[in-house]
């Protein structure tokens, strides 16, 4: 059945979203489209339109250009940033002959435009045509996706060499097979640069043969990638010649045929080794340790060592995944270099490594080995021309002394490692029996945390935020507390890392967001109708694909205007994948909420990115306020305030505890104060009383 026939039969189920602030135009559009068989929903401004787009998923949008609250350009950009799998047609309603509006519409992401006054007799046909075109694009996109998936499964890529310009172009998979970045102006020599020297003459000879009049190329060779992995590639090419008989181009395919070259031993190797670092993996380490225990010499000293990188998550967030992986590979190489030939090194997962130290003559030799390893791995690392100093937490269990089973020795070494980390990291500790009790206590606490929400033990506290000029309440920051039934109040510094680790932080974050908005709604109902509420988003919350929809759902269930909600993310989180995060922040901003960068000054923001973030405020980290009495501290705060002023950003200063802090910051026109001087975090009912005591309804 032709596509036009199919789409005509689907008209009755086609949903159109009309976004138009003029009541007459919106009503007429609704009537004309309904009469043509479409289902129509409408919105009066861009922000309302964006909300309905998220909830209703229309097949086409008619978007006016000029509207209050959010215009059509901003709404179109928000929709394009939110979309992932498809591109809904957006027809912009622009003034006639206004080329500036039309250009702006296309720049924002519009599919087409309709000029005003609208030709009502042609409107339905324009809409049908746009929907048909969209269906064709969706089919093409699906076909292309299927083809790319098939090529990915087959590890197949296509490339072409323009001999005259000496330029190679091709699919991303082809460049990946040759271990070359897919970029412009790649020469043939560069394209082949990762072919191992022994095999390079094979492809060179094949091209030389082609210049003698052969039309086809078929050659196999090996490619050495930057991560030291080796792949076998089969290359086919078809040669084209110009009128002089010279090669004009070669069009070819490349396929990874490594599997055909891997014997059983290689398959076994891969199953027992870590792909990233080429070290033994967890299962192979366990197997090796079990075998060694059976043959261990009781007169020698042998040990199981477990280590990980201190604060690796923050390091990885700041470096980015690619550089984080490079760091792990470098650590693995150093561990192999600093251990003895007979010792056994493995990567257990993420940033966790293990060493089996075998047959030291005595305790002194074992200690010397451990001290040497600790000293050598603590030296600076060079990643992408950046010098990094990292520290490790290391736990050691002695074979036969601390256990005679692999699982027992690994568990005890892990307990010692955890204790080293609790002590501040950057140290190694031997297992001691009393550590076991602390480890069990930690495990029980984590189990209790999983039930804390259901048992109503999680509570939201509110710390006042004060207008820096009037010193009157401006808003509050929502902070989470855990009231344990037997242990009392558990510090957020203890349970938040647990929640981040086990995934509970997502549920806790949703709970805090819902309760904080509900409480702010109560403040407004009681007359404090300018009070704002600030809520922190965790790393896991922010990276969730459902974040925008979840925030939208919470806002829909409240009468609190979105502009009174301030969502905060840390500077390091914002910069961890800045380009991607900008689109998420724009989606949140499109709902009307305010956005802040928390802990500002502790990360690695670039001014270029900071200018691109759709944020409203930055929060100066309390460490700078603590240091405000020094000249250096004052200079840093002045610089941050001046930069924020140039970017038209509000500034929140945390940790205000002294009159000097207030006078200094007021003199520098800091906007908002927060700290114990104005109030500690308090439960909801106490905060209500606090507001009443301020008498600022």
């Amino acid at each position: 059945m032709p596509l036009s026939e199919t789409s005509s039969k689907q008209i009755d189920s086609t949903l159109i979203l009309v976004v138009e602030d003029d009541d007459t135009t919106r009503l007429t559009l609704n009537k004309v489209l309904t009469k043509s068989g479409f289902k129509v929903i409408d919105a009066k401004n861009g922000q309302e339109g964006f909300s309905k787009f998220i909830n209703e998923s229309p097949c086409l949008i008619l978007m006016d250009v000029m509207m209050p609250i959010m215009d059509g350009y901003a709404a179109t950009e928000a929709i394009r940033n939110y979309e992932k799998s498809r591109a809904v047609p957006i027809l912009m309603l622009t003034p006639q002959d206004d080329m500036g509006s039309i250009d702006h519409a296309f720049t924002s992401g519009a599919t087409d435009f309709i000029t005003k006054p609208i030709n009502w007799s042609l409107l339905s046909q324009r809409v049908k045509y746009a929907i048909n075109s969209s269906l064709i694009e969706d089919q093409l996109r699906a076909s292309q996706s299927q083809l790319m998936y098939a090529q990915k499964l087959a590890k197949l890529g296509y490339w072409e060499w323009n001999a005259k310009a000496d330029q190679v172009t091709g699919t991303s998979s082809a460049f990946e097979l040759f271990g070359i970045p897919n970029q412009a102006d790649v020469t043939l020599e560069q394209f082949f640069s990762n072919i191992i020297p022994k095999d390079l003459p094979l492809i060179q000879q094949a091209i030389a043969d082609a210049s003698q009049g052969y039309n086809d190329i078929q050659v196999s060779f090996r490619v050495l990638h930057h991560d030291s992995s080796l792949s076998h590639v089969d290359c086919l090419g078809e040669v084209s010649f110009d009128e002089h008989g010279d090669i004009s181009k070669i069009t070819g395919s490349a396929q990874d045929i490594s599997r055909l070259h891997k014997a059983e031993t290689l398959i076994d190797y891969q199953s027992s080794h870590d792909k990233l670092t080429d070290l033994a993996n967890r299962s192979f380490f366990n197997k090796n340790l079990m075998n060694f225990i059976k043959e261990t010499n009781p007169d020698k000293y042998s040990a199981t060592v477990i280590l990980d990188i201190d604060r690796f998550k923050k390091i990885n967030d700041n470096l980015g995944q690619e550089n984080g992986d490079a760091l792990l590979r470098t650590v693995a190489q150093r561990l192999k270099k600093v251990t003895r030939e007979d010792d056994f090194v493995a990567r257990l997962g993420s940033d966790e490594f293990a060493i089996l130290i075998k047959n030291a003559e005595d305790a002194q030799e074992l200690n010397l080995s451990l001290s040497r390893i600790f000293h050598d791995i603590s030296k600076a690392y060079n990643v992408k021309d950046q010098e990094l100093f990292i520290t490790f937490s290391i736990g050691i269990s002695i074979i036969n002394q601390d256990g005679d089973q692999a699982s027992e020795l690994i568990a005890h070494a892990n307990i010692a490692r955890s204790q080293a980390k609790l002590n501040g990291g950057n140290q190694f500790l031997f297992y001691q029996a009393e550590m076991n009790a602390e480890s069990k206590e930690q495990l029980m606490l984590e189990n209790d945390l999983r039930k804390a929400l259901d048992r109503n033990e999680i509570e939201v506290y509110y710390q006042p935020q004060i207008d820096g000029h009037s010193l009157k309440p401006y808003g509050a920051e929502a902070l989470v507390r855990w009231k344990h039934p037997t242990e009392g109040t558990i510090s957020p510094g203890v349970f938040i890392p647990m929640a981040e680790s086990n995934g509970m932080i997502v549920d806790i974050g949703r709970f805090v967001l819902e309760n904080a908005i509900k409480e702010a709604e109560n403040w407004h109902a009681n007359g404090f109708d300018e009070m704002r509420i600030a809520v922190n988003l965790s790393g896991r919350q922010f990276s969730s694909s459902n974040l925008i929809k979840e925030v939208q759902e919470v806002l829909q269930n409240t009468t609190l205007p979105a502009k009174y909600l301030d969502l905060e993310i840390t500077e390091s989180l914002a910069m961890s994948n800045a380009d991607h995060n900008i689109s998420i922040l724009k989606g949140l901003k499109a709902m009307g909420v305010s956005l802040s960068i928390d802990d500002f000054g502790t990360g690695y923001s670039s001014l270029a990115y900071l200018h691109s973030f759709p944020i409203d405020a930055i929060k100066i980290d309390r460490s700078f306020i603590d240091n405000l009495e020094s000249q250096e501290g004052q200079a840093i705060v002045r610089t941050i305030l001046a930069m924020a002023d140039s970017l038209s950003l509000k500034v929140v200063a945390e940790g205000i505890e002294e009159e000097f802090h207030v006078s200094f910051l007021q003199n520098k026109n800091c906007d908002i104060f927060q700290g114990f001087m104005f109030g500690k975090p308090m439960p909801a009912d106490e905060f209500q009383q606090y507001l009443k005591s301020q008498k600022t309804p």
Side-chain angles (χ1 to χ4, degrees), residues 276-289:
L276 178 66
T277 62
D278 206 34
L279 293 177
N281 60 21
R282 181 183 292 272
S283 62
F284 193 28
F285 182 80
N286 288 350
K287 182 178 179 181
N288 196 284
L289 178 57

PDB file of all heavy atoms in Angstrom, residues 276-289:
ATOM      1  N   LEU A 276      40.062  -3.952  29.389  1.00  0.00           N
ATOM      2  CA  LEU A 276      40.624  -2.607  29.418  1.00  0.00           C
ATOM      3  C   LEU A 276      42.118  -2.605  29.717  1.00  0.00           C
ATOM      4  O   LEU A 276      42.895  -1.919  29.052  1.00  0.00           O
ATOM      5  CB  LEU A 276      39.880  -1.759  30.457  1.00  0.00           C
ATOM      6  CG  LEU A 276      40.384  -0.325  30.636  1.00  0.00           C
ATOM      7  CD1 LEU A 276      40.121   0.482  29.365  1.00  0.00           C
ATOM      8  CD2 LEU A 276      39.730   0.346  31.839  1.00  0.00           C
ATOM      9  N   THR A 277      42.530  -3.406  30.710  1.00  0.00           N
ATOM     10  CA  THR A 277      43.915  -3.332  31.184  1.00  0.00           C
ATOM     11  C   THR A 277      44.769  -4.531  30.795  1.00  0.00           C
ATOM     12  O   THR A 277      45.991  -4.498  30.951  1.00  0.00           O
ATOM     13  CB  THR A 277      43.933  -3.241  32.724  1.00  0.00           C
ATOM     14  OG1 THR A 277      43.330  -4.445  33.263  1.00  0.00           O
ATOM     15  CG2 THR A 277      43.139  -2.036  33.206  1.00  0.00           C
ATOM     16  N   ASP A 278      44.134  -5.586  30.295  1.00  0.00           N
ATOM     17  CA  ASP A 278      44.809  -6.839  29.939  1.00  0.00           C
ATOM     18  C   ASP A 278      45.376  -7.563  31.167  1.00  0.00           C
ATOM     19  O   ASP A 278      46.175  -8.482  31.041  1.00  0.00           O
ATOM     20  CB  ASP A 278      45.925  -6.593  28.919  1.00  0.00           C
ATOM     21  CG  ASP A 278      46.202  -7.837  28.068  1.00  0.00           C
ATOM     22  OD1 ASP A 278      45.242  -8.579  27.777  1.00  0.00           O
ATOM     23  OD2 ASP A 278      47.375  -8.076  27.727  1.00  0.00           O
ATOM     24  N   LEU A 279      44.951  -7.156  32.356  1.00  0.00           N
ATOM     25  CA  LEU A 279      45.314  -7.892  33.566  1.00  0.00           C
ATOM     26  C   LEU A 279      44.363  -9.076  33.737  1.00  0.00           C
ATOM     27  O   LEU A 279      43.296  -9.142  33.118  1.00  0.00           O
ATOM     28  CB  LEU A 279      45.212  -6.997  34.797  1.00  0.00           C
ATOM     29  CG  LEU A 279      46.196  -5.837  34.927  1.00  0.00           C
ATOM     30  CD1 LEU A 279      45.885  -5.037  36.187  1.00  0.00           C
ATOM     31  CD2 LEU A 279      47.643  -6.330  34.962  1.00  0.00           C
ATOM     32  N   ALA A 280      44.741 -10.002  34.615  1.00  0.00           N
ATOM     33  CA  ALA A 280      43.815 -11.078  34.982  1.00  0.00           C
ATOM     34  C   ALA A 280      42.551 -10.472  35.577  1.00  0.00           C
ATOM     35  O   ALA A 280      42.594  -9.413  36.217  1.00  0.00           O
ATOM     36  CB  ALA A 280      44.483 -12.005  35.997  1.00  0.00           C
ATOM     37  N   ASN A 281      41.405 -11.119  35.348  1.00  0.00           N
ATOM     38  CA  ASN A 281      40.158 -10.612  35.916  1.00  0.00           C
ATOM     39  C   ASN A 281      39.869 -11.278  37.256  1.00  0.00           C
ATOM     40  O   ASN A 281      40.670 -12.063  37.771  1.00  0.00           O
ATOM     41  CB  ASN A 281      38.997 -10.773  34.934  1.00  0.00           C
ATOM     42  CG  ASN A 281      38.747 -12.227  34.551  1.00  0.00           C
ATOM     43  OD1 ASN A 281      39.157 -13.150  35.267  1.00  0.00           O
ATOM     44  ND2 ASN A 281      38.078 -12.433  33.428  1.00  0.00           N
ATOM     45  N   ARG A 282      38.721 -10.977  37.841  1.00  0.00           N
ATOM     46  CA  ARG A 282      38.383 -11.448  39.181  1.00  0.00           C
ATOM     47  C   ARG A 282      38.363 -12.974  39.268  1.00  0.00           C
ATOM     48  O   ARG A 282      38.939 -13.566  40.186  1.00  0.00           O
ATOM     49  CB  ARG A 282      37.029 -10.879  39.611  1.00  0.00           C
ATOM     50  CG  ARG A 282      36.586 -11.292  41.007  1.00  0.00           C
ATOM     51  CD  ARG A 282      35.206 -10.744  41.339  1.00  0.00           C
ATOM     52  NE  ARG A 282      35.220  -9.303  41.465  1.00  0.00           N
ATOM     53  CZ  ARG A 282      35.479  -8.666  42.601  1.00  0.00           C
ATOM     54  NH1 ARG A 282      35.762  -9.344  43.703  1.00  0.00           N
ATOM     55  NH2 ARG A 282      35.445  -7.343  42.637  1.00  0.00           N
ATOM     56  N   SER A 283      37.697 -13.608  38.297  1.00  0.00           N
ATOM     57  CA  SER A 283      37.570 -15.067  38.368  1.00  0.00           C
ATOM     58  C   SER A 283      38.926 -15.748  38.227  1.00  0.00           C
ATOM     59  O   SER A 283      39.205 -16.743  38.903  1.00  0.00           O
ATOM     60  CB  SER A 283      36.608 -15.575  37.280  1.00  0.00           C
ATOM     61  OG  SER A 283      37.094 -15.265  35.994  1.00  0.00           O
ATOM     62  N   PHE A 284      39.773 -15.212  37.360  1.00  0.00           N
ATOM     63  CA  PHE A 284      41.101 -15.810  37.170  1.00  0.00           C
ATOM     64  C   PHE A 284      41.956 -15.601  38.422  1.00  0.00           C
ATOM     65  O   PHE A 284      42.739 -16.481  38.810  1.00  0.00           O
ATOM     66  CB  PHE A 284      41.768 -15.205  35.939  1.00  0.00           C
ATOM     67  CG  PHE A 284      42.988 -15.950  35.468  1.00  0.00           C
ATOM     68  CD1 PHE A 284      43.134 -17.314  35.687  1.00  0.00           C
ATOM     69  CD2 PHE A 284      43.997 -15.292  34.790  1.00  0.00           C
ATOM     70  CE1 PHE A 284      44.253 -17.993  35.249  1.00  0.00           C
ATOM     71  CE2 PHE A 284      45.122 -15.959  34.345  1.00  0.00           C
ATOM     72  CZ  PHE A 284      45.253 -17.318  34.579  1.00  0.00           C
ATOM     73  N   PHE A 285      41.817 -14.426  39.071  1.00  0.00           N
ATOM     74  CA  PHE A 285      42.567 -14.181  40.309  1.00  0.00           C
ATOM     75  C   PHE A 285      42.132 -15.167  41.393  1.00  0.00           C
ATOM     76  O   PHE A 285      42.974 -15.741  42.101  1.00  0.00           O
ATOM     77  CB  PHE A 285      42.336 -12.743  40.781  1.00  0.00           C
ATOM     78  CG  PHE A 285      43.107 -12.396  42.028  1.00  0.00           C
ATOM     79  CD1 PHE A 285      44.451 -12.071  41.976  1.00  0.00           C
ATOM     80  CD2 PHE A 285      42.490 -12.421  43.281  1.00  0.00           C
ATOM     81  CE1 PHE A 285      45.174 -11.771  43.129  1.00  0.00           C
ATOM     82  CE2 PHE A 285      43.194 -12.124  44.437  1.00  0.00           C
ATOM     83  CZ  PHE A 285      44.542 -11.790  44.360  1.00  0.00           C
ATOM     84  N   ASN A 286      40.815 -15.357  41.526  1.00  0.00           N
ATOM     85  CA  ASN A 286      40.315 -16.316  42.526  1.00  0.00           C
ATOM     86  C   ASN A 286      40.860 -17.709  42.271  1.00  0.00           C
ATOM     87  O   ASN A 286      41.293 -18.412  43.204  1.00  0.00           O
ATOM     88  CB  ASN A 286      38.787 -16.346  42.500  1.00  0.00           C
ATOM     89  CG  ASN A 286      38.170 -15.093  43.077  1.00  0.00           C
ATOM     90  OD1 ASN A 286      38.855 -14.272  43.664  1.00  0.00           O
ATOM     91  ND2 ASN A 286      36.874 -14.930  42.894  1.00  0.00           N
ATOM     92  N   LYS A 287      40.826 -18.116  41.007  1.00  0.00           N
ATOM     93  CA  LYS A 287      41.317 -19.454  40.638  1.00  0.00           C
ATOM     94  C   LYS A 287      42.805 -19.588  40.944  1.00  0.00           C
ATOM     95  O   LYS A 287      43.255 -20.600  41.502  1.00  0.00           O
ATOM     96  CB  LYS A 287      41.052 -19.686  39.153  1.00  0.00           C
ATOM     97  CG  LYS A 287      41.469 -21.051  38.641  1.00  0.00           C
ATOM     98  CD  LYS A 287      41.119 -21.190  37.163  1.00  0.00           C
ATOM     99  CE  LYS A 287      41.562 -22.556  36.629  1.00  0.00           C
ATOM    100  NZ  LYS A 287      41.251 -22.683  35.177  1.00  0.00           N
ATOM    101  N   ASN A 288      43.574 -18.556  40.602  1.00  0.00           N
ATOM    102  CA  ASN A 288      45.023 -18.584  40.841  1.00  0.00           C
ATOM    103  C   ASN A 288      45.326 -18.612  42.330  1.00  0.00           C
ATOM    104  O   ASN A 288      46.225 -19.332  42.786  1.00  0.00           O
ATOM    105  CB  ASN A 288      45.657 -17.348  40.185  1.00  0.00           C
ATOM    106  CG  ASN A 288      47.149 -17.466  40.041  1.00  0.00           C
ATOM    107  OD1 ASN A 288      47.882 -17.320  41.011  1.00  0.00           O
ATOM    108  ND2 ASN A 288      47.601 -17.730  38.820  1.00  0.00           N
ATOM    109  N   LEU A 289      44.562 -17.833  43.108  1.00  0.00           N
ATOM    110  CA  LEU A 289      44.763 -17.795  44.560  1.00  0.00           C
ATOM    111  C   LEU A 289      44.431 -19.152  45.185  1.00  0.00           C
ATOM    112  O   LEU A 289      45.174 -19.649  46.054  1.00  0.00           O
ATOM    113  CB  LEU A 289      43.898 -16.688  45.166  1.00  0.00           C
ATOM    114  CG  LEU A 289      43.946 -16.528  46.694  1.00  0.00           C
ATOM    115  CD1 LEU A 289      45.371 -16.297  47.186  1.00  0.00           C
ATOM    116  CD2 LEU A 289      43.029 -15.379  47.135  1.00  0.00           C
TER     117      LEU A 289
END
